Amino acid sequence: MEVRDLHPWPGTPEEARAIQDRLRPLLDLDDPAPVSPRTVAGLDVSYAGDGRDDGTAARLAAAVVVLDAGSLEVVEESVVTGTAAFPYVPGLFAFRELPALVEALRRLNTVPDLLVCDGYGLAHPRRFGLACHLGVLTGLPSLGIAKRPFVGAYDPPGEERGSAGPLRDGGEVVGRVLRTRQGVKPVFVSVGHRIGLDEACRVALALSPEFRLPETTRRADRLSRDALAGLLPS
DNA sequence: GCGACAG
DNA sequence: ATCTTGTCGC
């Protein structure tokens, strides 16, 4: 599929933040139309550990797995190996894996109806997490499902699957804390681009019929790990 | 100023 | 993210 060219690559955290501030206005989040995705793409990245002290140049594998939204059967897979493009800095996480993920998306023959990212969308210090960034670059609806809290405050949702509550930051609701499995830690859902929070949570639940994490990220996680394992140890 | 901080 | 043993439970 087609993906917009990457902007000039930032050399410093300041430049990276400036890029996020410049791209944020491109988000389409006002009254988004229903997505009702037929296919959903899950994205994830695995790392080989070493690299430089700042984490740059660490070997990684970025995977995209497209599933049929109804049956959750695999429609297409794409994996690429590469190196971390930026040190890990909370709030600038996207710059670490963006180049590899974009390349994996470009190698897709299918154009998914929705992107499900491992991390955050709007629930971000500058309201521009990885899901927002990929949404703008691809033009596709996107959302983020994170395993751990980042920004915002929340009350623990009920113990049953489906229970949820608002994730609030700076006086605004930036996402939702959702229990995808009874008695198990909840996940953090936030919209990225062209989708509403209600639909994002419905999709998140539909993609997680059995486990805490959605099948999209579970599949992408396994694929990226396998790709890394297939590389010569070094 | 100090601590916390997606993956 | 990754480093990691055993253990409880379906």
Side-chain angles (χ1 to χ4, degrees), chain A residues 4 39 41-42 60 62 69 71 73 100 111 118 122-123 128-129 134 159 162 166 175 196:
Chain A
R4 174 201 278 221
T39 60
L60 59 73
S71 65
E73 305 260 302
V111 177
D118 197 21
L122 264 196
F128 201 75
L134 280 169
E159 292 296 316

mmCIF file of all heavy atoms in Angstrom, chain A residues 4 39 41-42 60 62 69 71 73 100 111 118 122-123 128-129 134 159 162 166 175 196:
data_model
loop_
_atom_site.group_PDB
_atom_site.id
_atom_site.type_symbol
_atom_site.label_atom_id
_atom_site.label_comp_id
_atom_site.label_asym_id
_atom_site.label_seq_id
_atom_site.Cartn_x
_atom_site.Cartn_y
_atom_site.Cartn_z
ATOM 1 N N ARG A 4 2.633 7.874 2.847
ATOM 2 C CA ARG A 4 3.249 9.177 2.626
ATOM 3 C C ARG A 4 4.728 9.139 3.026
ATOM 4 O O ARG A 4 5.124 8.442 3.947
ATOM 5 C CB ARG A 4 2.519 10.198 3.508
ATOM 6 C CG ARG A 4 3.135 11.573 3.499
ATOM 7 C CD ARG A 4 2.676 12.314 4.743
ATOM 8 N NE ARG A 4 1.348 12.876 4.515
ATOM 9 C CZ ARG A 4 1.011 14.098 4.945
ATOM 10 N NH1 ARG A 4 1.869 14.841 5.618
ATOM 11 N NH2 ARG A 4 -0.179 14.561 4.722
ATOM 12 N N THR A 39 -11.204 -5.455 7.393
ATOM 13 C CA THR A 39 -9.880 -5.977 7.733
ATOM 14 C C THR A 39 -9.188 -5.029 8.707
ATOM 15 O O THR A 39 -9.366 -3.812 8.634
ATOM 16 C CB THR A 39 -8.983 -6.124 6.487
ATOM 17 O OG1 THR A 39 -8.815 -4.841 5.873
ATOM 18 C CG2 THR A 39 -9.603 -7.094 5.487
ATOM 19 N N ALA A 41 -5.353 -4.228 10.665
ATOM 20 C CA ALA A 41 -3.918 -4.530 10.697
ATOM 21 C C ALA A 41 -3.361 -4.304 12.093
ATOM 22 O O ALA A 41 -3.619 -3.273 12.720
ATOM 23 C CB ALA A 41 -3.177 -3.654 9.705
ATOM 24 N N GLY A 42 -2.600 -5.285 12.586
ATOM 25 C CA GLY A 42 -1.952 -5.142 13.886
ATOM 26 C C GLY A 42 -0.481 -4.892 13.632
ATOM 27 O O GLY A 42 0.099 -5.501 12.726
ATOM 28 N N LEU A 60 16.112 -4.693 15.100
ATOM 29 C CA LEU A 60 14.686 -4.868 15.378
ATOM 30 C C LEU A 60 13.967 -5.512 14.208
ATOM 31 O O LEU A 60 14.503 -5.586 13.103
ATOM 32 C CB LEU A 60 14.054 -3.513 15.715
ATOM 33 C CG LEU A 60 14.112 -2.368 14.687
ATOM 34 C CD1 LEU A 60 13.153 -2.623 13.535
ATOM 35 C CD2 LEU A 60 13.757 -1.066 15.377
ATOM 36 N N ALA A 62 10.044 -5.349 12.516
ATOM 37 C CA ALA A 62 8.720 -4.724 12.558
ATOM 38 C C ALA A 62 7.752 -5.599 11.775
ATOM 39 O O ALA A 62 8.041 -6.001 10.650
ATOM 40 C CB ALA A 62 8.780 -3.327 11.950
ATOM 41 N N ALA A 69 -11.672 -8.913 10.136
ATOM 42 C CA ALA A 69 -12.242 -8.437 11.398
ATOM 43 C C ALA A 69 -13.316 -9.364 11.971
ATOM 44 O O ALA A 69 -13.536 -9.398 13.178
ATOM 45 C CB ALA A 69 -12.826 -7.042 11.203
ATOM 46 N N SER A 71 -13.724 -13.017 11.286
ATOM 47 C CA SER A 71 -13.235 -14.352 11.643
ATOM 48 C C SER A 71 -11.904 -14.320 12.386
ATOM 49 O O SER A 71 -11.502 -15.307 12.995
ATOM 50 C CB SER A 71 -13.066 -15.181 10.374
ATOM 51 O OG SER A 71 -12.048 -14.625 9.557
ATOM 52 N N GLU A 73 -9.158 -14.358 10.994
ATOM 53 C CA GLU A 73 -8.225 -15.166 10.216
ATOM 54 C C GLU A 73 -7.204 -14.226 9.580
ATOM 55 O O GLU A 73 -7.515 -13.078 9.263
ATOM 56 C CB GLU A 73 -8.966 -15.873 9.079
ATOM 57 C CG GLU A 73 -10.147 -16.705 9.511
ATOM 58 C CD GLU A 73 -9.820 -18.189 9.587
ATOM 59 O OE1 GLU A 73 -9.396 -18.727 8.552
ATOM 60 O OE2 GLU A 73 -9.977 -18.758 10.677
ATOM 61 N N ALA A 100 10.733 1.464 10.174
ATOM 62 C CA ALA A 100 10.556 0.030 9.923
ATOM 63 C C ALA A 100 9.079 -0.316 9.739
ATOM 64 O O ALA A 100 8.718 -1.095 8.852
ATOM 65 C CB ALA A 100 11.147 -0.778 11.083
ATOM 66 N N VAL A 111 -4.827 -3.223 1.497
ATOM 67 C CA VAL A 111 -4.930 -1.944 2.204
ATOM 68 C C VAL A 111 -5.942 -2.185 3.327
ATOM 69 O O VAL A 111 -7.134 -2.324 3.081
ATOM 70 C CB VAL A 111 -5.463 -0.809 1.300
ATOM 71 C CG1 VAL A 111 -5.611 0.477 2.118
ATOM 72 C CG2 VAL A 111 -4.533 -0.585 0.133
ATOM 73 N N ASP A 118 0.508 -0.779 18.919
ATOM 74 C CA ASP A 118 0.894 -1.198 20.246
ATOM 75 C C ASP A 118 1.416 0.065 20.944
ATOM 76 O O ASP A 118 2.564 0.426 20.792
ATOM 77 C CB ASP A 118 2.021 -2.236 20.090
ATOM 78 C CG ASP A 118 2.228 -3.028 21.350
ATOM 79 O OD1 ASP A 118 1.323 -3.084 22.178
ATOM 80 O OD2 ASP A 118 3.318 -3.609 21.495
ATOM 81 N N LEU A 122 -4.066 9.468 21.006
ATOM 82 C CA LEU A 122 -4.267 10.786 21.613
ATOM 83 C C LEU A 122 -3.811 10.882 23.061
ATOM 84 O O LEU A 122 -3.499 11.974 23.542
ATOM 85 C CB LEU A 122 -5.760 11.152 21.579
ATOM 86 C CG LEU A 122 -6.286 12.018 20.448
ATOM 87 C CD1 LEU A 122 -7.667 12.556 20.848
ATOM 88 C CD2 LEU A 122 -5.338 13.196 20.203
ATOM 89 N N ALA A 123 -3.807 9.778 23.776
ATOM 90 C CA ALA A 123 -3.394 9.804 25.186
ATOM 91 C C ALA A 123 -1.874 9.936 25.257
ATOM 92 O O ALA A 123 -1.144 8.989 25.576
ATOM 93 C CB ALA A 123 -3.860 8.532 25.879
ATOM 94 N N PHE A 128 -0.189 13.254 20.428
ATOM 95 C CA PHE A 128 0.245 12.724 19.136
ATOM 96 C C PHE A 128 1.138 11.498 19.306
ATOM 97 O O PHE A 128 2.331 11.518 18.997
ATOM 98 C CB PHE A 128 0.973 13.808 18.329
ATOM 99 C CG PHE A 128 0.998 13.535 16.846
ATOM 100 C CD1 PHE A 128 -0.142 13.726 16.075
ATOM 101 C CD2 PHE A 128 2.155 13.053 16.230
ATOM 102 C CE1 PHE A 128 -0.126 13.447 14.707
ATOM 103 C CE2 PHE A 128 2.178 12.776 14.861
ATOM 104 C CZ PHE A 128 1.033 12.980 14.104
ATOM 105 N N GLY A 129 0.540 10.411 19.789
ATOM 106 C CA GLY A 129 1.286 9.175 19.969
ATOM 107 C C GLY A 129 1.457 8.419 18.656
ATOM 108 O O GLY A 129 0.994 8.875 17.600
ATOM 109 N N LEU A 134 1.012 7.251 12.678
ATOM 110 C CA LEU A 134 0.792 6.303 11.581
ATOM 111 C C LEU A 134 -0.509 6.591 10.851
ATOM 112 O O LEU A 134 -0.617 6.366 9.650
ATOM 113 C CB LEU A 134 0.800 4.866 12.123
ATOM 114 C CG LEU A 134 2.197 4.289 12.366
ATOM 115 C CD1 LEU A 134 2.120 2.989 13.152
ATOM 116 C CD2 LEU A 134 2.898 4.055 11.025
ATOM 117 N N GLU A 159 -14.487 -5.609 37.297
ATOM 118 C CA GLU A 159 -13.729 -6.823 36.994
ATOM 119 C C GLU A 159 -14.198 -7.616 35.784
ATOM 120 O O GLU A 159 -13.467 -8.447 35.256
ATOM 121 C CB GLU A 159 -13.729 -7.755 38.214
ATOM 122 C CG GLU A 159 -12.943 -7.234 39.415
ATOM 123 C CD GLU A 159 -11.454 -7.094 39.122
ATOM 124 O OE1 GLU A 159 -10.878 -8.005 38.504
ATOM 125 O OE2 GLU A 159 -10.878 -6.056 39.499
ATOM 126 N N GLY A 162 -15.377 -6.118 29.418
ATOM 127 C CA GLY A 162 -16.242 -5.098 28.851
ATOM 128 C C GLY A 162 -16.351 -3.858 29.733
ATOM 129 O O GLY A 162 -16.741 -2.792 29.260
ATOM 130 N N PRO A 166 -13.181 6.258 31.815
ATOM 131 C CA PRO A 166 -12.402 7.274 31.123
ATOM 132 C C PRO A 166 -10.963 7.422 31.612
ATOM 133 O O PRO A 166 -10.674 7.217 32.794
ATOM 134 C CB PRO A 166 -13.206 8.542 31.373
ATOM 135 C CG PRO A 166 -13.839 8.296 32.711
ATOM 136 C CD PRO A 166 -14.237 6.850 32.656
ATOM 137 N N GLY A 175 -8.749 8.934 26.460
ATOM 138 C CA GLY A 175 -8.803 7.520 26.127
ATOM 139 C C GLY A 175 -9.711 6.783 27.085
ATOM 140 O O GLY A 175 -10.490 7.410 27.815
ATOM 141 N N GLY A 196 -13.751 7.173 16.327
ATOM 142 C CA GLY A 196 -14.218 7.667 17.616
ATOM 143 C C GLY A 196 -13.845 6.691 18.725
ATOM 144 O O GLY A 196 -13.581 5.512 18.463
#
